[in-house]
Amino acid sequence: MNFAWQSVILVLAGVLLLRVAGRKSISQMTLAQTVVMISIGSIIIQPIIETSVWKTIVAAGIFVGSLILMEYLQVRYNFIEKFITGKSKIVIENGKLKTANMRKLRFTADQLEMRLRTNGITKISDVKMATLEPNGQLGYELMDNAKPLTVGEFKRLMGEIILQSPVQPAHQATDDIFQELKKGHSPPNFKDLH
């Protein structure tokens, strides 16, 4: 029975500690965050096999505390951020692969193509700039001719079209059911509508 209570305490402590550490999916974690989370998972399971639940909670707390300290130092000092997290690396520039950077990152063309496809991009030549971010995500900007039309651009284009063509008066519908209400007349009978 003691085993069951220890398991419950460890699960609750793990949830609390991970809540303090912050919410990110695995794909959004930096290298340091991933190491700390894996370490916490390994530490939490040990007391079930061994005996000391409180030592485990303290050790997991130390891991989370060190993660928070590292994140604080990264915000404060750029060189620490560069050392711990790394910086984004360009993998595509003006529709061309940056193979030297990809080799340094040990990132294959197939892996890049997979990430592009998941973002709905079918041609490398459509990409103006693409970067591999420190958390493993792909950041990109499309060439002007490959970008989707935005609402703002659509309105601007429609404004240009309207200015170039003579404005036609709108056809006024005669079956406007609010017309009589607007003029102050009584509404028609039900059989008048048919």
Side-chain angles (χ1 to χ4, degrees), residues 3 7 10-11 38-50 56:
F3 168 86
S7 299
L10 286 171
V11 167
I38 291 170
S39 300
I40 288 172
S42 300
I43 285 176
I44 284 177
I45 198 67
Q46 283 183 350
I48 295 173
I49 300 165
E50 296 174 6
T56 301

Short mmCIF file of all heavy atoms in Angstrom, two decimals, residues 3 7 10-11 38-50 56:
data_model
loop_
_atom_site.label_atom_id
_atom_site.label_comp_id
_atom_site.label_asym_id
_atom_site.label_seq_id
_atom_site.Cartn_x
_atom_site.Cartn_y
_atom_site.Cartn_z
N PHE A 3 3.62 1.64 -1.50
CA PHE A 3 4.05 1.77 -2.89
C PHE A 3 3.05 2.63 -3.69
O PHE A 3 3.43 3.48 -4.47
CB PHE A 3 4.17 0.36 -3.48
CG PHE A 3 4.33 0.31 -4.95
CD1 PHE A 3 5.59 0.41 -5.52
CD2 PHE A 3 3.25 0.15 -5.80
CE1 PHE A 3 5.76 0.37 -6.89
CE2 PHE A 3 3.40 0.10 -7.17
CZ PHE A 3 4.66 0.21 -7.71
N SER A 7 3.68 6.37 -5.39
CA SER A 7 3.44 6.60 -6.82
C SER A 7 2.57 7.83 -7.04
O SER A 7 2.85 8.67 -7.90
CB SER A 7 2.78 5.38 -7.46
OG SER A 7 3.60 4.26 -7.33
N LEU A 10 4.56 10.99 -6.27
CA LEU A 10 5.53 11.27 -7.34
C LEU A 10 4.86 11.83 -8.58
O LEU A 10 5.38 12.74 -9.22
CB LEU A 10 6.31 10.00 -7.68
CG LEU A 10 7.36 9.60 -6.64
CD1 LEU A 10 7.93 8.24 -6.95
CD2 LEU A 10 8.46 10.64 -6.58
N VAL A 11 3.69 11.29 -8.93
CA VAL A 11 2.98 11.80 -10.10
C VAL A 11 2.56 13.24 -9.87
O VAL A 11 2.76 14.11 -10.73
CB VAL A 11 1.76 10.91 -10.44
CG1 VAL A 11 0.87 11.59 -11.45
CG2 VAL A 11 2.22 9.57 -10.98
N ILE A 38 13.65 14.91 -19.64
CA ILE A 38 13.99 13.47 -19.65
C ILE A 38 14.59 13.08 -18.30
O ILE A 38 14.27 12.02 -17.75
CB ILE A 38 14.95 13.15 -20.81
CG1 ILE A 38 14.21 13.29 -22.14
CG2 ILE A 38 15.53 11.76 -20.67
CD1 ILE A 38 15.09 13.23 -23.37
N SER A 39 15.44 13.95 -17.75
CA SER A 39 16.05 13.66 -16.45
C SER A 39 14.99 13.56 -15.35
O SER A 39 15.05 12.67 -14.50
CB SER A 39 17.05 14.75 -16.09
OG SER A 39 18.06 14.82 -17.06
N ILE A 40 14.02 14.48 -15.37
CA ILE A 40 12.96 14.44 -14.36
C ILE A 40 12.17 13.14 -14.47
O ILE A 40 11.87 12.48 -13.47
CB ILE A 40 12.02 15.66 -14.50
CG1 ILE A 40 12.76 16.91 -14.03
CG2 ILE A 40 10.74 15.48 -13.69
CD1 ILE A 40 12.00 18.19 -14.30
N GLY A 41 11.87 12.74 -15.71
CA GLY A 41 11.14 11.47 -15.90
C GLY A 41 11.92 10.29 -15.36
O GLY A 41 11.35 9.39 -14.71
N SER A 42 13.22 10.28 -15.59
CA SER A 42 14.06 9.17 -15.09
C SER A 42 14.14 9.18 -13.57
O SER A 42 14.09 8.14 -12.91
CB SER A 42 15.48 9.29 -15.66
OG SER A 42 15.43 9.22 -17.05
N ILE A 43 14.27 10.38 -12.99
CA ILE A 43 14.39 10.49 -11.54
C ILE A 43 13.09 10.08 -10.85
O ILE A 43 13.10 9.42 -9.82
CB ILE A 43 14.77 11.93 -11.15
CG1 ILE A 43 16.24 12.16 -11.46
CG2 ILE A 43 14.51 12.20 -9.68
CD1 ILE A 43 16.69 13.57 -11.20
N ILE A 44 11.96 10.48 -11.42
CA ILE A 44 10.68 10.22 -10.77
C ILE A 44 10.39 8.73 -10.64
O ILE A 44 9.78 8.29 -9.68
CB ILE A 44 9.54 10.96 -11.52
CG1 ILE A 44 9.60 12.45 -11.15
CG2 ILE A 44 8.18 10.40 -11.19
CD1 ILE A 44 8.60 13.31 -11.88
N ILE A 45 10.85 7.93 -11.57
CA ILE A 45 10.56 6.50 -11.53
C ILE A 45 11.45 5.75 -10.54
O ILE A 45 11.08 4.71 -10.02
CB ILE A 45 10.65 5.88 -12.95
CG1 ILE A 45 9.94 4.54 -13.02
CG2 ILE A 45 12.08 5.73 -13.38
CD1 ILE A 45 8.47 4.62 -12.85
N GLN A 46 12.63 6.30 -10.20
CA GLN A 46 13.58 5.60 -9.34
C GLN A 46 13.07 5.30 -7.93
O GLN A 46 13.28 4.21 -7.42
CB GLN A 46 14.90 6.35 -9.26
CG GLN A 46 15.74 6.15 -10.49
CD GLN A 46 17.08 6.83 -10.38
OE1 GLN A 46 17.31 7.62 -9.46
NE2 GLN A 46 17.96 6.54 -11.31
N PRO A 47 12.38 6.22 -7.23
CA PRO A 47 11.98 5.91 -5.86
C PRO A 47 10.98 4.76 -5.76
O PRO A 47 10.84 4.16 -4.71
CB PRO A 47 11.32 7.19 -5.36
CG PRO A 47 11.70 8.23 -6.29
CD PRO A 47 12.08 7.57 -7.56
N ILE A 48 10.28 4.50 -6.83
CA ILE A 48 9.36 3.37 -6.78
C ILE A 48 10.17 2.09 -6.63
O ILE A 48 9.77 1.16 -5.94
CB ILE A 48 8.46 3.35 -8.04
CG1 ILE A 48 7.59 4.60 -8.03
CG2 ILE A 48 7.62 2.10 -8.13
CD1 ILE A 48 6.79 4.82 -9.27
N ILE A 49 11.34 2.06 -7.25
CA ILE A 49 12.22 0.90 -7.14
C ILE A 49 13.03 1.00 -5.85
O ILE A 49 13.23 0.02 -5.14
CB ILE A 49 13.16 0.84 -8.36
CG1 ILE A 49 12.33 0.72 -9.63
CG2 ILE A 49 14.13 -0.31 -8.26
CD1 ILE A 49 13.08 1.01 -10.89
N GLU A 50 13.50 2.20 -5.52
CA GLU A 50 14.30 2.40 -4.31
C GLU A 50 13.38 2.83 -3.17
O GLU A 50 12.26 2.40 -3.09
CB GLU A 50 15.39 3.44 -4.59
CG GLU A 50 16.38 2.97 -5.65
CD GLU A 50 17.37 4.03 -6.06
OE1 GLU A 50 17.39 5.12 -5.45
OE2 GLU A 50 18.14 3.77 -6.99
N THR A 56 13.91 12.30 -4.25
CA THR A 56 13.55 12.38 -5.67
C THR A 56 12.88 13.70 -5.99
O THR A 56 13.20 14.35 -6.99
CB THR A 56 12.60 11.24 -6.04
OG1 THR A 56 13.26 10.02 -5.76
CG2 THR A 56 12.23 11.28 -7.50
#
